[in-house]
Amino acid sequence: MATGDEDRLLLIPGPVPVAREILQALDTPPISHTGAQFAQIFGRCLERLAMVMGNESGKTFVFSGSGTLAQEAAIVNFVEPGGRLLVASNGYFADRLTEIAQAYRLEVIPLQAPWGTSVTAEELGSQMRRHRPTVVAFTHVETSTGAMARIADFVRIIREEGALSIVDGVAALGGVCEDMESLGIDVLLSGAQKALGMPPGLAILGVSPRAWSAYERRAEKPRAYYLDLQRWAPVMEDPQRYFSTHPINLIYALDAALAIIEREGLDARFDRHQTLAERFRGALLGLGLASFTEEACLAPTLSVFRLPQGQRSASFRQRLQHHGVIAAAGLSDPEGRVVRFGHMGNIGEGEVAAAIAAVQNALAG
Ligand SMILES: Cc1ncc(COP(=O)(O)O)c(C=O)c1O
């Protein structure tokens, strides 16, 4: 029987369970953040991360922070005052992109889809022709609803209409293809604690050559200090340079996480996420839960359900916890019946089977 949360299976949509190999990497004494040894490890991380992002021709940035900081970095560096940001939103984290832009007094055009669905490519195209945004941002996987955007269509339309794309890949990178070069993504932002399988604490950005040229053409520099990517760019090119101290131990962990990804292979990793998602969803639907997310836009990294009539999310999750699994509440759930499960990172069949059994037991009372 589990004793504390750390003994339970953490199946919220991030943070995720962390593999022993990654935890062991954290437990290594810090070394100099500007020394040759650290530069070698950090440089290797940047190279491997560029491969995961399909961004070998662009720039990759990693610094202390979280997904929200990466969202903020993307907006403050690539949306200029006087520019216009269209946010295709279908949930809580895309709305956060809007809130960040508004905090910087940038002009935002909202394009809303109901929670559980996604904006359609047609709606995006028509709103772009109408409002002529300079930048379009959207969440690839919306963690509040489990909905995944049609990234290839979106990015193609954004390019055709002459804008830059900002893709929030916080709940996607490492679990579903986000190949910047083949898809044509301009800015891809992410965090560590989801499909990369790491503990939280890193802000990650991929910037295409086209987006970097747009940065360089800006009429004025971003109104930011830590987040101005120009300050970080020389460090990412030569990690022996200093701008701000790196989270050394998290970089060790990133190195271990990326080694796991390299060993598994990206395609195999994406297949595993898809297979486990289908198995988990099939079983829970069979147990009487209903998908909160529209069938056409189900993400491979997390699943969101409505419990059967008469079940309450809070008490269900408490019983689930008693059976060794931690799930998350809905983020907009007036009836109190929504439950969210993550199935991303380095989890396997064993965890999914344990989660299905725990759900069955929790439903039984
Ligand atoms: C899609 C998405 N974007 C942004 C964030 C914010 O990330 P963080 O909580 O690491 O600041 C999250 C967090 O869950 C997310 O899922």
Side-chain angles (χ1 to χ4, degrees):
M1 169 54 85
T3 51
D5 273 1
E6 67 279 8
D7 295 322
R8 297 190 170 102
L9 185 52
L10 186 63
L11 288 192
I12 59 176
V16 298
V18 178
R20 176 78 28 217
E21 194 173 329
I22 299 174
L23 289 175
Q24 276 164 353
L26 283 168
D27 185 17
T28 310
I31 51 177
S32 165
H33 58 302
T34 52
Q37 192 183 337
F38 180 72
Q40 196 194 4
I41 298 169
F42 195 45
R44 182 165 67 216
C45 286
L46 293 171
E47 263 173 43
R48 282 176 167 162
L49 206 45
M51 272 164 49
V52 174
M53 295 176 137
N55 185 36
E56 279 143 308
S57 62
K59 291 184 185 293
T60 304
F61 297 83
V62 177
F63 42 80
S64 289
S66 68
T68 305
L69 197 77
Q71 287 182 312
E72 188 156 342
I75 287 177
V76 74
N77 283 279
F78 298 101
V79 188
E80 282 190 76
R84 200 179 272 176
L85 173 69
L86 186 148
V87 178
S89 175
N90 52 353
Y92 181 90
F93 290 103
D95 285 348
R96 177 166 290 187
L97 292 164
T98 298
E99 286 169 15
I100 292 168
Q102 287 170 341
Y104 285 94
R105 312 230 184 290
L106 297 164
E107 185 185 345
V108 183
I109 303 150
L111 170 55
Q112 295 282 346
W115 282 44
T117 72
S118 176
V119 166
T120 66
E122 293 69 31
E123 284 168 335
L124 178 63
S126 88
Q127 289 304 304
M128 284 193 74
R129 286 186 287 279
R130 183 157 165 226
H131 296 286
R132 307 256 47 112
T134 49
V135 182
V136 174
F138 63 93
T139 46
H140 183 191
V141 171
E142 178 49 65
T143 322
S144 55
T145 69
M148 182 161 71
R150 288 187 178 273
I151 190 167
D153 292 344
F154 277 29
V155 169
R156 181 181 41 77
I157 291 165
I158 295 166
R159 283 234 165 170
E160 279 168 9
E161 298 301 330
L164 281 186
S165 56
I166 294 179
V167 178
D168 177 333
V170 173
L173 186 69
V176 54
C177 175
E178 292 190 317
D179 191 278
M180 292 182 65
E181 279 160 29
S182 65
L183 290 166
I185 299 170
D186 292 307
V187 180
L188 176 62
L189 69 97
S190 198
Q193 73 274 22
K194 311 243 182 195
L196 294 174
M198 281 192 52
L202 294 179
I204 296 170
L205 285 142
V207 176
S208 71
R210 180 172 177 258
W212 193 250
S213 312
Y215 173 95
E216 289 180 321
R217 283 196 311 272
R218 287 181 64 118
E220 67 175 65
K221 304 254 291 156
R223 292 175 193 166
Y225 186 82
Y226 183 83
L227 284 186
D228 183 349
L229 291 181
Q230 184 106 63
R231 290 204 165 80
W232 286 106
V235 181
M236 301 298 142
E237 264 151 42
D238 174 5
Q240 285 195 265
R241 296 207 197 161
Y242 170 73
F243 166 52
S244 169
T245 307
H246 302 291
I248 309 280
N249 296 58
L250 280 176
I251 300 301
Y252 292 152
L254 178 62
D255 196 31
L258 292 167
I260 292 176
I261 295 177
E262 196 171 79
R263 267 201 320 266
E264 183 174 16
L266 268 185
D267 288 339
R269 193 173 176 91
F270 300 153
D271 286 349
R272 172 171 58 81
H273 277 81
Q274 186 60 36
T275 306
L276 294 180
E278 284 171 15
R279 186 168 311 163
F280 184 64
R281 281 200 280 260
L284 267 62
L285 294 178
L287 291 171
L289 280 75
S291 179
F292 179 91
T293 320
E294 214 172 59
E295 176 83 31
C297 51
L298 290 165
T301 48
L302 75 138
S303 299
V304 184
F305 296 96
R306 255 196 204 92
L307 294 170
Q309 282 288 353
Q311 295 267 356
R312 311 289 302 168
S313 177
S315 49
F316 169 80
R317 284 181 291 105
Q318 225 163 32
R319 292 196 300 281
L320 197 61
Q321 191 163 326
H322 178 74
H323 293 291
V325 169
I326 302 184
L331 282 176
S332 168
D333 181 21
E335 285 178 66
R337 282 206 291 145
V338 175
V339 57
R340 294 181 303 137
F341 292 91
H343 30 74
M344 57 185 144
N346 292 313
I347 65 159
E349 289 176 11
E351 283 87 353
V352 167
I356 295 168
V359 169
Q360 192 161 18
N361 288 328
L363 285 171

